[in-house]
Amino acid sequence: MSTTSIRKTPLLEVRDLTVTYAGGARAVRGVNLEVDAGRKLGIAGESGCGKSTLALALLRLLPAGTKVTGEILLNGEDVLAMKWGQVRAVRWAGASIVFQGAMHSLNAVHRIGDQIAEPIVLHRKTTQAAARKRAGELLEQVGLPAARADAYPHELSGGQRQRVMIAMALACDPGLIIADEPTTALDVMIQAQILRLIEQLVSEQDLGLIMISHDLAVLSDTCDRLAVMYAGRVVEQGPAAEVYERAHHPYSKALSGAFPRIGDPASRFAPRGLPGDPPDPSALPAGCTFHPRCTVALDSCTTQDPELRVAGPGREAACVLVGPDGVSAPQGAEEARSTS
Amino acid sequence: MTSTTTDLLSARDLRVSFPGRHGAGQARAVDGVDLDIRPGEIVALVGESGCGKTTLARSLLGLVPPTGGQVTFDGKPLDYGSRALKAYRKRVQLVLQDPSGSLNPRHTVYDAVAEGLRIHRYGGDEREAVTNALSRAGLRPPERFFLRYPHELSGGQRQRVVIAGALVLEPELIVADEPVASLDASVRGEILALLLRLRDELGLSALVVTHDLGLAWNIADRVAVMYLGRIVETGDVEQILTAPQHPYTQALLSVLPEAEGEPVVLTGEPPDPSKVPSGCRFHLRCQVLASGEAERAGVADACRTKDLPVLAGGGETQVACHWASAAAVARP
Amino acid sequence: MTTESMPASTPGAEVPAPEESGPEEAKSAGALARARKRRSVARFWREYRSHRGGLWGLAGLILIALIALCAPVLTGANAQSVTEAPGGALESPSAEFPLGTDQFGRSVLALLIWGARVSLTVGLLAAFLCVAIGTVVGIVAGHFRGWYSTVLMRVTDWFLVMPTLVLAIALATVMDRSLWTVIIAIGVTTWPTTARLVRAQTLAVESRPYIERARALGGGHGHIMLRHVLPNVMPLVLAQTTLVISSAILTEATLAFLGLGDPTITSWGGMLQDAREAGAVSAGDWWYLAPPGIAIALVALAFTLCGRAIETVLNPKLGVAR
Amino acid sequence: MTADSTPALVKQADAEGPAPAGSPAVRGPRARNTQAYLKYVAAKIFGAAVSLFAVLVTSFFLFRLIPSDPVKQMTGGRPVSAEQLDSLRRQLGLDQPMWQQFTSYVGDALTGDFGTSFQYHAPVVDKITEALPATLLLTGTAYVLYSALGIWLGTRTAWRNGSKSDRFNTALALTLYSVPSFWLGLLLIIVFAVGVGPIPGMFPTGGLESGNESGFAYVLDVAHHMVLPVITLVAVGYAQTLLVMRSSLLDEMGSDYLTTARAKGLRDDTVRRKHAVPNAMLPTFTLMFVNLGHVVAGQILVETVFSWPGLGGLFYQGLSVPDLPLVQALFFVFATAVILANTLADLLYPLLDPRVGR
Amino acid sequence: GVPLGAAPQQAQAADSGKTLTVAVAQSIDSLSPFLAQKLLSTSVSRLMYDFLTNYDPKDNHAVPGLATKWEPSADKLTWTYTIRSNSKWSDGEQATAEDAAWTFNKMMTDEAAAQANGSFVTNFKKVTAPSPTQLVIELKEPQATMAALDVPIVPKHVWEKVKDFSKFNNDKDFPVVGNGPFVLSDYKVDQYVKLKANKDFWRGKPKFDELVFKTYKDQDAAVAALRKGEVSFVAGSPALTPAQAASLKGDANIKVNEGPGRRFFALATNPGAQTKDGKKFGNGNEALLDQKVRQALFLSIDRKTIIDKVFQGHAVEGQGYIPPRFSEYAWQPSSGQSLAYDPAKAGKLLDQAGYALKDGKRVGKDGKALDLRILCHATDPNDKAIGKYLKEWWGKLGVGLKVECLDDVSVPWYAGEYDLAFDGWSVNPDPDFVLGIHTCAALPLKAKASAATDNFICDKKYDELYKKQLAEYDTTKRADLVGQMQSWLYDSGYMSVIAYPNAVEAYRTDQIKSITTMPEAAGNIYGQDGYWSWWSAVPADSDGASGDSDSGSSSTGIVIGIVVAVVVLAGGGFLLSRRRRTTADERE
Ligand SMILES: Nc1ncnc2c1ncn2[C@@H]1O[C@H](COP(=O)(O)OP(=O)(O)OP(=O)(O)O)[C@@H](O)[C@H]1O
Ligand SMILES: Nc1ncnc2c1ncn2[C@@H]1O[C@H](COP(=O)(O)OP(=O)(O)OP(=O)(O)O)[C@@H](O)[C@H]1O
Ligand SMILES: [Mg+2]
Ligand SMILES: [Mg+2]
């Protein structure tokens, strides 16, 4: 893989991806994403907005009966159009996943060394011994002694297990790593360790990274770009820090406001949140899916579902109140109507 | 401290240890804690995973018998007889981390809220009490929720139900063990706001257990930082979170995403309560000691060998650290 | 681990929209709760209905139960009389005796119908006994820590290591021949399985935070066992009951076949034993030999199907495709 | 993790891993930590020894409860005088007070002497060792076959949950499971041993051998005699394994680690074989060990129907007298087998599933 | 079933000669004649060892066995037996009076050796063998049964070495030394007993070379084995069922043999359990102490229906105590005496006895309804079946009946805790034992202790008769006395013999050409008093036999097995390969 080719085609390009579960839940609705090698994309959003679904769809790991449309171009090839044999070849070697909840993502009855070695043997066609040796190296790379390869998952702490997952994800030198909430349920200190590790590995190996989290603060700290999802849609996208600091979409705003900044007197004794309940993906509200919870919703929002629109340099947001200059449109309802 | 009468709940040198597993020594989960909570005060207890926060909270409620020390409520030492405990638990309520788990999937919201009333054989109008508690917890109109099952509610709603269940008995103190850890960031704020409002409206005291320093900043008056079974730093939230003195607190704050400066990532796993190191219990991971700064301050030896006293439970800012004490002495 | 969610949320199924409002609000809490119960039963039924096996099982059971209840009407009260037997010995099927006659000249069909009563009674009562003991022991052993729990579990283990049939045979031999003996022998030998299951489930339930919450609310042992553990083990117990019924029916047949049943009563196992004693096997009198066996198998199958369907409905995890 | 003797289809919940996080039940056992394992072994073995002793005591008293007079039963129908009965009773030791009988029974049993059979006049141990091979041969063979068949079909049906073959196999297994074994045995005898219509009677009607073969012909002869009883046992028995395997595999089906395995690019059958099945095996193993324990108890019914000279028949025979030393010892042996199988299972679990054990 | 055409069994066993295989239901308890109690075991003893006397197959009178002659002394207390000199043990030694004397002495002195046959020697004072051909038995009291000593005589030189008779089962060293018509050659527990013909048997060599008793615990399996030719003979246990007999009758090569049985099937009432010294115990219903009540009950039993329905004709209506098979002693009630089926009369008798009919129930003077219990053997289908009839008949009479079936009825029985019981004994050619069980001497010493008594009957007149018959060495006179005793029993109403079940058994005529029954005219084959049947059985011409040989069937089975295995493997392989292909195409 030459560097020039990477420049031309992005590592991963998702076009108009839609996922409908067998039950009729439209978990992902027309998502477009792009990740270049060496770049880090963060996907944020509340629980149930379709983040994991999106991640699984990338490697066609969704359960049978799920309808997936659109295009997923991994190194220019459409994963959705591949034969199963090709898909299997792409899995882990092309892109690997660090799953949410490492406890359950590791097989409890196999030693972690074997679990790391497994994809190496499969994709690199090495001997078992060589694969095990490599597994040991990978463990060291994520800061675990190689001797721990003999351990079973339950013998490790949560942070260690997550490291094992990361080591495993690196096993076949994939171009892209998808980390689905790699630090949820971890302690602050461990979380910091893991994030630092991921960052370091990604920058060392020039990998593409998609990091999924509901913690906007963490994502803005770690990633280059940030996509905020709501009800299966990307509602705002842009450079990470900007989106976090100055969100345009009311949802992103509420989300970023929910993270208190210590030392900021404004948030002292003033926790902020987002009233209302997340929508049910199998019965989405008409119009803008966020309008029932939106404090600045207009009448038109109940009927009209806005597309992503340019909202400043490198930024997009899906809200009628967002203007192309990147500034939020005026808050007043009359004015908003007049502009639209 | 000076006047114990003003304290609603206080712990003195509280110790809880569990029998060690696999031949390991005793796990000293709580290893000498003094903590006072005054009426109407919200105290945050923060610390890393496994440092004994939950155990402390549970022992305050008499759910685990302490192996040492004493819990005093309203001036009287806690009686562990089953009747006295029952009476105690009418006045002190527990809210757990996981609202989905805290609700019996087979009980309706009404049943869940009324449970406390039924246990304590509430004499008044049960329905009215439940209605009140629900609407106070922000579930309005309450009747709409009466017969829902937990799985029909969102996470935030569930936590509100749990809180309503605690409120219905009109307690004086709520012990909340990571009340928002399992909730989405967006919902989190709502629940915290609710706690604040209850404090304002009802004068409720609360002990909030968390590993999220932002939460403490959001709602607490006072914070206690716990490490390996001990409180290592305690005091006013503004003071502790903006000017931490204990290296451990400093490290915790430094790894927050929005923190300025280089994060101090402590290496290694959470410490093991069955192997409490001698000297300062933090010294093995202490960045100050590691960087040689403690050496320069001339306390390195003390850090390694000299035990630190148990911090008093009162309101003043205190820190259990040889280096910080030395610095404080040097500074004035 | 089973059954955490009685009112199972069904992805895809119609949202359990709590449309209670308006008139319902006016009703008393009790009425509301009843309405709610009714609705969850309805939901249970809706899901149960989607299990074809369970429906077949249920239909079969209802049919058999009806037949058993109506035995006197269907066959006349004298169907079991030997002195008034209408036919000759071991007649093959005819219009008058659709399943032929036994060695006394009684209609096999009529006996089969009467036998259903005994088999169902034994199955139900033995299962009830088994499940009642098992549930109590299981919950108590799971709830309490300390020596009594240990002792209880030791006793349970002790019963468990007894080969069930051997113990049942021994018990049936020890006691005198009656239906109760059979019921007790089955009940007493099969409860430990239930106890173990219930205990495991109790332990799982007890580790849930809501138990901690109930304790923090001041709930005592009784409150926790009755209000929290019991409702949560009930689905498991229900499923287990149906399964125990089917194995109790088989065990009853087995004991009767070994000549340990109550010979003065017509049961299916007893009929098989009678058929064998009468030499029906050698004589090739299939109409005498086959129906009781098929009846036993069908009832056992019906209960098993129902039990599995209930189990699946109550434990949605079992039902989901990957 | 102990036995479960009734054919409960509900899978043994306690074979599952420990309770969810946060509870005191969570433990991070180091099964490979030899010392901890040895401790675990010692505890299990001690537990087994206690159970064994309890069984020994029970075996004595249980059968004394039988309202029956062994001496009278033994001589039933023959001309015997009262003196003769007394003399017999004296010789059998039945005239001693109960506690004396009990202490000598326990004392002897601890030295491996279970006394002399009343009706066979031979040491009970000899009688049991005579009949044991036949039982082991029959039920052991059936055990291996139905376990293998059950696991195989259970895996298949669960993996293709809801498919036609799943529905068919499950329905068939459940149907056979509901059939009384003795009845099925009788039918098989009628159809395949006696012969019906065009079906010739191609298998022997019962017994273990024809009695006039030797060498390889003997082996074939025995195998020939085993066909029908083994088919009966397998048909009735495999459903249980199938259902347990099926439901525990279904439980595993949605698990994240399977998604991980698939994400690694493993083939579907590799995922099943290497990842899903080993995780789902534990409940099945429990059942298999329970069944293993019951192999020794034989199958009283099938042994009766097929005139198989095994322990089950011996027990049933002994019970009718009651031949106290014989039934006591047999009961003890049956229960011991279960205890041993369970203990073995307990000792193996930590090796099979690293999560188990303490 | 259509037996697969295959080589006949005999041909296959050509080198070892003709084999007669008998399907039996029992297992062997012991092969030591000192321990063996079960019918099969004693039958085998009969074949292995000669007894002093034997019974004539025609009419059961005593005929020479090991003894050629036997004579009592004038005082009736000394019997002298002349032992034949042409009987040899199978190891070549001569069988002598010394062997017999040793056998009896052993039983008299060693408790362990008296387990099985001790009752025969209780009245012996001394047994000696003055010469190899002379055996002298001195008695304590006269005993008429001296020509019916059913005791196997064992070779002293072999048995002398046995240390503990209570544990020696005689089943380790084959062939076992004996002098009967057959020599025990092999034994496998619960499977078979094999005997070889004794070429030197004094009465002549049996026609079959080998005799095998094969265990079939299930009678239907045995019948199936007969059908297939796996066995030549099926002994019912106790009889083939009517249905089995009927179905076997249709088979061309099978003969169903039916002969009068040696059992009687009776009802006994509890006459008030008591000890030898007259202490009453138990809880038998007082009403049954009234002869009228007892007779009323018996009058309302329709024996004919029982014979027709329960036994389906395979039994003879019961009358006297001794079955008609033993013609010497059998007795019949006179027409005036007979209690034939007469429910009307029964009702009248009950009325007379003070049990009036009220709402369909007989109520006594004390106002209590007449409800009775009957003890039934759970293992005996006839008990259970007849119980059903009794319940209904007596129900019509107004008497309630509860049928209590137990595996072992002896405990309540000996405790006297029953009202009625199903009773039945197998009768020997010499009736002494079955008569003795109704004497006062047979009553228990202590309450509830087991004893020889059948059902606590104790009557002076009967006892006198019993003593007389035992001392009466003249057969006809003795028979008369025995008849009187039976008459008394009949009138007492303590017992009612309902039926004499026939022995129903079957054999393959293509394997057994002829076989002696006992009684010779229409008798039974299995369990005879003697070795006549097996000794006399003549093999059918081997060509004519069409039995399905074992080797034939096993090779058929093997072929079929291989075919099945191949099909299964091929099918499995096909499925497997198909599955692989399909999974490859499916999502993963
Ligand atoms: N297998 C499935 N069948 C049907 N619906 C599903 C399935 N898996 C997920 N969903 C639904 O799809 C929606 C998106 O789920 P997804 O797991 O992608 O959310 P998420 O953003 O990852 O949430 P979280 O932060 O909780 O992990 C949810 O509403 C969920 O209920
Ligand atoms: N029942 C128990 N038996 C033995 N050890 C226990 C028990 N409960 C807790 N511990 C141990 O005590 C220590 C403190 O546990 P605790 O649950 O109080 O920590 P925590 O601060 O609440 O951690 P987290 O943030 O993960 O909830 C841990 O090391 C834990 O392993
Ligand atoms: Mg997710
Ligand atoms: Mg905690």
Side-chain angles (χ1 to χ4, degrees), chain A residues 257 259-272, chain B residues 214 217-219:
Chain A
F259 294 93
R261 283 133 175 106
I262 289 173
D264 172 9
S267 56
R268 179 77 174 134
F269 291 125
R272 257 171 287 163
Chain B
W217 180 258
N218 266 165
I219 63 166

Side-chain angles (χ1 to χ4, degrees), chain E residues 49-69:
Chain E
Y49 303 103
D50 215 355
F51 294 9
L52 286 179
T53 57
N54 202 342
Y55 303 96
D56 188 280
K58 282 193 202 72
D59 58 3
N60 284 312
H61 79 266
V63 295
L66 187 61
T68 51
K69 244 174 53 197

Side-chain angles (χ1 to χ4, degrees), chain B residues 48-55 57-58 97 177-178 209-211, chain D residues 22:
Chain B
E48 232 177 328
S49 185
C51 71
K53 305 182 296 290
T54 299
T55 310
R58 297 178 72 225
Q97 162 177 12
D177 186 5
E178 319 231 13
V209 173
T210 179
H211 60 244

Side-chain angles (χ1 to χ4, degrees), chain C residues 80-84 87 89-90 103-104 106 173 177 260 263-264 276-279 281-283 322, chain E residues 218 220 223 227 241 243-244 247 309 312 378 381 384-385 388-389 392-393 396 403 405-407 587:
Chain C
Q80 296 189 80
S81 162
V82 283
T83 51
E84 284 162 35
L90 295 172
Q103 68 266 46
F104 303 112
R106 301 178 291 180
T173 316
R177 294 294 156 79
L260 296 171
T264 60
R276 216 161 68 103
E277 277 173 352
V281 176
S282 305
R322 274 182 262 178
Chain E
D218 184 75
D220 290 308
V223 169
R227 277 223 168 93
T241 67
Q244 285 167 338
S247 84
K309 296 281 181 167
Q312 310 238 331
K384 291 185 271 181
K388 287 190 190 38
Y389 281 95
E392 292 179 24
W393 283 324
K396 279 177 201 149
V403 184
C405 291
L406 297 174
D407 259 342
R587 47 152 240 102

Side-chain angles (χ1 to χ4, degrees), chain B residues 250-270:
Chain B
Q250 290 170 352
L252 281 183
L253 280 161
S254 78
V255 297
L256 292 182
E258 68 272 22
E260 279 137 38
E262 192 51 27
V264 182
V265 178
L266 299 176
T267 49
E269 295 298 318

Side-chain angles (χ1 to χ4, degrees), chain E residues 340-401:
Chain E
Y341 181 53
D342 190 346
K345 191 173 161 200
K348 264 184 225 134
L349 273 177
L350 281 182
D351 287 338
Q352 284 169 24
Y355 292 92
L357 199 58
K358 231 189 250 167
D359 303 334
K361 296 284 296 177
R362 291 280 165 181
V363 179
K365 288 182 192 101
D366 53 358
K368 266 197 269 174
L370 189 54
D371 283 314
L372 301 172
R373 304 160 290 171
I374 187 164
L375 271 182
C376 115
H377 300 80
T379 44
D380 188 341
N382 291 335
D383 280 16
K384 291 185 271 181
I386 294 170
K388 287 190 190 38
Y389 281 95
L390 290 182
K391 197 170 166 160
E392 292 179 24
W393 283 324
W394 292 355
K396 279 177 201 149
L397 199 61
V399 178
L401 181 69

